[in-house]
Amino acid sequence: MRKDMSKIWGASMAPWAILMPKNQVCNVNSFRDIIKNVLRMRKDMAKIWGASMIPWVIHIPKNQICNVNSIRDIMKNVLRMRKDMAKIWGCFHDPMGHPYTQEPKPTNNQLPRVIQEPSVWEVWEGKTARLPCVAHGHPSPQYYWYRDTGGQLTLMDTVRKFTVVDGTLVIHKVSVADSGKYICFANNSVGEDKVDRLLRIRVPLKVEVVTTKRVVRSGEEVSLNCSMSTAPKSVVWVKDQRRIVPDHRIRRVSQTHLKILVFQREDSGIYQCYVYNDWESSQAHVQLDLKEEMPTFIRIFPDQIHMPGQLVSLHCSASGSPLPQISWTLDGEQLSESRRVKTGDYVHLDGSVVSYVNITDLAVSDGGLYGCEARNDVGAVSHSARIDVFGPPFIRPMGNLTVVAGTTVTIRCPVSGYPIDRTYVEKSGSKLPYGDRQSIDQRGIVRIHNVRKEDEGIYRCVATNGRGEKAERPLVLKVVTAPMISPFSFSENLEEGMRSSIICSVIAGDPPISLTWYRNGRLLKETSPDIQIVPITDFVSSLIINHVSRHHSGNYTCFASNNAAATNYTATMVVKAPPVWVIKPSDQSALEGTSVTFDCQAEGQPRPVVRWKFGKVRIAINCRDLCVLFSNPTQRNGLLRYDHLFSVITNQKKFLKYMWSASKWS
């Protein structure tokens, strides 16, 4: 016992000396020496442990000579002290039952120390997680695993999916719920050590773009949400392979939420959500299309009659996708704004477009046929109604008309005033219509079909009322003839070195006429070095090539225009030329089992046919004999390719010579 205490406290802390006469009956003096040392031990231990830790009571016979029995009583108390100290120090392996005369065996107790391992462990969902906890110590430590949930430790249940093997915590088929902090305690009779392990569950990254709608009407709001299986590190939004830059109309509400406030045609496309975390990336996409609807009117205005000086407001509202644009006309001409006439529009909450015309201090000259037209990329719809103003007849000035012969011309008299008894159009004192090619509708609009030169002249619009008041306004109709080009062509047997020319002749059309030449859609200038453009008359132009070469092949277009219209005619030049090599094959070296490619390209007219030969043997695409030497040969556009060059060629170090030829036209 004394030796054990010396190991724990140090030699200086064990000053007691108990001398027992061997094989002799002790006397009073030796007995008292023993008791003095025992009491001294008791007193010193009380100072270290406190009084509560000294439960022993030793009764000493007073004024008596001790015998063997009394010595045994003392030794029982000493053994009890020794046993209690073993419980406190943790010396469970100490042989307490040995006689007091036998000294204890030496021990080497060590505090557990856990071997350092990575503190963070990442495991894929559904796999088995192993969190190591290996400690050194003597006696061999025991392991206890706890899970830290918000500071509260819970002992792991080893009955279900958790097992502890040699200190390692094994979790089978992990799920996201298993991620978190785990604590391992290694304990023996000397003490304990602990270590923390953080378990992260890797979930395969699955991404999906969820949208409120895939077909969106123009002007609507649409939201895109990037839904994923695990928390991302970063999210990138892309439209048609271009990164989205938020603006006043496209907002990034959060990392995973994109909102388009007012959807427009240019917003149509493929939207992609790229998601990244620490170990992988993934993406999902959705296509947004603009719902195309032809405009339809929701609100229109009726025919109206007003007194001069009043305020008039006309409204047209239409829906459609894309949002329609609404324009206003007066008697077929675009309505012009002024100090008294104002136009405007706005988008209603229901997604329709509302357009209006406000006229203040209404005048007789403001009367007429008002029209609104709603148009988008799908189609157009129009509405018109008369706004009449009480007053004498009035006809607004009309511009002169220039039309192309053979078309239809419309003459509309812009009449205002109310009431109007009669409106008509006349030429040279004769009222229209007076021929089969002329017609008039209920609103007094005159149409002349298949206009001819004889229809040219001065026309008058006349309006009268019941009080004999009359208004008239003249207009001049001019009929012009569109240019007409006589067909031309190149010789079919043109070869390099020959000469060639063509003539573009305008056989009909009113002057002045402008003539220009184009080659393959690009303007040819008169100063071209090898092509001459020679104007012969105002209606005839010649194109001359003195030395034809292969690069002159192409489409040549003569373009004729005047004040009435424009027309063109195209001819194709084909120059026959012998084959020339653009790319010649070069020597190749290759390892056995690799691929070999020979490039060969030729040009000419007609297009050359490229053939390959090995030695004197022509190589066919579907070869038989040469397939013994080569596997899977392909020949396309002059490109010869052999995959898997066999050892029969490379091992024998033979040289392969390829002959290439391109046949001329037949």
Side-chain angles (χ1 to χ4, degrees):
M1 185 177 72
R2 179 170 172 266
K3 283 183 180 180
D4 290 340
M5 294 171 64
S6 298
K7 290 178 181 178
I8 296 171
W9 291 335
S12 61
M13 297 297 295
W16 320 296
I18 303 178
L19 302 176
M20 297 288 295
K22 193 173 183 181
N23 299 327
Q24 293 182 11
V25 177
C26 63
N27 54 28
V28 175
N29 293 330
S30 62
F31 179 79
R32 290 189 183 277
D33 291 337
I34 294 171
I35 296 306
K36 285 180 181 180
N37 279 284
V38 171
L39 291 176
R40 187 176 180 186
M41 285 172 59
R42 183 171 176 269
K43 190 179 295 183
D44 289 341
M45 286 192 296
K47 290 179 181 179
I48 296 172
W49 294 329
S52 61
M53 300 297 293
I54 310 300
W56 319 300
V57 178
I58 301 176
H59 298 283
I60 303 174
K62 192 175 182 182
N63 298 325
Q64 293 183 10
I65 297 175
C66 67
N67 53 27
V68 175
N69 293 331
S70 62
I71 292 176
R72 292 187 183 279
D73 290 338
I74 294 172
M75 289 298 103
K76 286 180 180 178
N77 280 282
V78 171
L79 291 174
R80 186 179 178 187
M81 287 170 57
R82 189 166 177 267
K83 191 179 294 183
D84 289 340
M85 287 190 293
K87 291 179 179 179
I88 295 170
W89 295 332
C91 302
F92 300 106
H93 66 286
D94 199 37
M96 296 298 177
H98 288 192
Y100 65 91
T101 57
Q102 182 178 353
E103 292 185 0
K105 294 182 179 179
T107 59
N108 255 339
N109 294 343
Q110 293 181 358
L111 190 71
R113 288 290 181 266
V114 179
I115 299 175
Q116 293 298 322
E117 296 278 359
S119 59
V120 179
W121 294 79
E122 294 179 346
V123 182
W124 286 99
E125 184 181 28
K127 301 297 183 180
T128 299
R130 292 176 174 85
L131 305 182
C133 181
V134 180
H136 294 301
H138 188 76
S140 295
Q142 295 182 345
Y143 301 95
Y144 303 92
W145 279 91
Y146 292 83
R147 183 170 183 177
D148 187 346
T149 308
Q152 183 178 358
L153 299 183
T154 305
L155 182 64
M156 299 303 298
D157 182 7
T158 58
V159 177
R160 300 174 56 195
K161 60 189 292 187
F162 305 98
T163 57
V164 179
V165 179
D166 295 332
T168 299
L169 177 64
V170 180
I171 309 175
H172 302 280
K173 294 183 180 180
V174 295
S175 62
V176 178
D178 295 322
S179 13
K181 182 179 178 182
Y182 294 83
I183 303 175
C184 172
F185 288 88
N187 178 278
N188 66 9
S189 58
V190 182
E192 70 179 10
D193 193 11
K194 70 174 183 176
V195 70
D196 296 346
R197 299 282 186 251
L198 183 61
L199 178 61
R200 293 178 179 172
I201 305 302
R202 288 186 177 182
V203 179
L205 196 54
K206 298 177 182 177
V207 184
E208 179 185 5
V209 178
V210 180
T211 178
T212 52
K213 54 194 72 176
R214 292 176 181 266
V215 180
V216 190
R217 297 181 76 253
S218 180
E220 286 186 331
E221 178 182 293
V222 60
S223 291
L224 301 175
N225 285 281
C226 191
S227 175
M228 60 210 70
S229 56
T230 184
K233 190 172 183 180
S234 64
V235 178
V236 177
W237 285 95
V238 173
K239 176 187 176 289
D240 297 333
Q241 297 301 317
R242 291 189 176 183
R243 191 162 185 163
I244 295 176
V245 179
D247 54 23
H248 67 283
R249 201 171 49 80
I250 301 178
R251 296 181 182 176
R252 190 163 180 176
V253 181
S254 66
Q255 193 177 17
T256 59
H257 185 191
L258 190 71
K259 180 179 287 187
I260 305 174
L261 299 180
V262 181
F263 195 85
Q264 298 178 358
R265 173 174 288 276
E266 58 265 27
D267 296 324
S268 301
I270 297 177
Y271 289 78
Q272 291 174 283
C273 170
Y274 286 88
V275 180
Y276 303 86
N277 58 21
D278 291 331
W279 52 83
E280 64 176 336
S281 64
S282 184
Q283 69 88 26
H285 71 277
V286 66
Q287 181 169 345
L288 297 184
D289 294 318
L290 180 67
K291 185 177 182 180
E292 295 187 342
E293 295 178 341
M294 186 173 174
T296 56
F297 280 121
I298 299 175
R299 179 184 177 186
I300 55 177
F301 59 95
D303 291 339
Q304 303 173 30
I305 302 174
H306 295 278
M307 295 295 294
Q310 290 184 337
L311 170 65
V312 176
S313 184
L314 308 177
H315 287 79
C316 274
S317 63
S319 64
S321 183
L323 283 176
Q325 299 290 326
I326 299 180
S327 58
W328 289 87
T329 58
L330 173 58
D331 289 324
E333 302 292 332
Q334 183 177 358
L335 180 64
S336 301
E337 287 192 273
S338 65
R339 180 180 58 84
R340 296 183 303 104
V341 180
K342 300 294 181 182
T343 62
D345 54 30
Y346 60 90
V347 178
H348 196 267
L349 293 177
D350 60 5
S352 63
V353 178
V354 180
S355 183
Y356 59 86
V357 174
N358 291 333
I359 306 174
T360 58
D361 194 15
L362 189 65
V364 174
S365 59
D366 295 323
L369 184 67
Y370 284 80
C372 64
E373 182 186 66
R375 178 182 294 275
N376 63 9
D377 294 339
V378 184
V381 61
S382 61
H383 166 74
S384 61
R386 281 204 65 86
I387 306 299
D388 289 318
V389 183
F390 281 98
F394 177 82
I395 300 177
R396 284 185 296 278
M398 298 178 293
N400 295 331
L401 298 177
T402 300
V403 297
V404 178
T407 61
T408 299
V409 64
T410 299
I411 301 176
R412 179 185 287 108
C413 293
V415 178
S416 62
Y418 188 81
I420 300 294
D421 289 344
R422 192 177 181 192
T423 301
Y424 58 91
V425 178
E426 65 176 19
K427 179 188 178 186
S428 302
S430 300
K431 297 178 183 179
L432 275 65
Y434 55 77
D436 296 336
R437 296 184 294 107
Q438 302 166 353
S439 64
I440 187 170
D441 63 13
Q442 296 177 353
R443 295 182 180 273
I445 298 176
V446 175
R447 290 182 175 85
I448 304 175
H449 305 278
N450 190 19
V451 177
R452 302 171 184 172
K453 277 289 187 179
E454 61 193 57
D455 295 322
E456 284 187 333
I458 299 175
Y459 291 77
R460 291 183 179 275
C461 283
V462 181
T464 61
N465 61 13
R467 292 181 294 181
E469 296 174 314
K470 178 181 179 181
E472 62 179 60
R473 187 82 65 174
L475 67 86
V476 176
L477 176 64
K478 183 178 181 181
V479 179
V480 294
T481 305
M484 181 182 298
I485 299 175
S486 176
F488 56 85
S489 62
F490 291 98
S491 172
E492 296 181 355
N493 297 313
L494 280 177
E495 297 183 15
E496 284 190 310
M498 292 184 174
R499 291 182 293 272
S500 179
S501 64
I502 52 175
I503 294 177
C504 178
S505 175
V506 179
I507 58 177
D510 292 334
I513 294 177
S514 173
L515 291 172
T516 53
W517 286 92
Y518 290 82
R519 177 177 177 270
N520 295 333
R522 304 185 69 174
L523 180 65
L524 281 174
K525 299 181 180 179
E526 295 182 3
T527 58
S528 297
D530 53 353
I531 299 178
Q532 298 180 32
I533 298 175
V534 180
I536 299 176
T537 67
D538 292 341
F539 311 107
V540 181
S541 177
S542 175
L543 185 144
I544 303 172
I545 303 175
N546 291 321
H547 186 84
V548 173
S549 64
R550 69 183 69 214
H551 74 271
H552 287 130
S553 297
N555 296 320
Y556 290 81
T557 302
C558 177
F559 189 88
S561 63
N562 63 4
N563 294 331
T567 187
N568 65 81
Y569 189 85
T570 300
T572 301
M573 173 187 282
V574 177
V575 180
K576 293 183 178 181
V580 294
W581 295 112
V582 178
I583 300 176
K584 292 184 178 181
S586 59
D587 295 339
Q588 302 284 346
S589 61
L591 297 175
E592 179 182 354
T594 60
S595 299
V596 179
T597 300
F598 295 91
D599 291 317
C600 175
Q601 184 178 350
E603 68 176 9
Q605 184 61 43
R607 185 177 178 179
V609 177
V610 179
R611 298 181 178 90
W612 283 86
K613 291 183 180 180
F614 170 59
K616 295 183 179 180
V617 180
R618 177 178 171 181
I619 300 176
I621 295 178
N622 297 319
C623 63
R624 289 175 178 262
D625 298 335
L626 284 179
C627 285
V628 177
L629 303 178
F630 302 101
S631 173
N632 190 24
T634 57
Q635 180 181 350
R636 186 171 299 172
N637 296 329
L639 179 70
L640 180 66
R641 177 183 177 88
Y642 287 112
D643 293 330
H644 308 301
L645 190 62
F646 283 5
S647 59
V648 68
I649 297 298
T650 57
N651 285 353
Q652 296 177 5
K653 299 182 180 178
K654 290 186 177 179
F655 294 96
L656 302 181
K657 183 178 181 181
Y658 290 91
M659 296 181 294
W660 17 265
S661 63
S663 61
K664 200 176 179 182
W665 63 87
S666 55

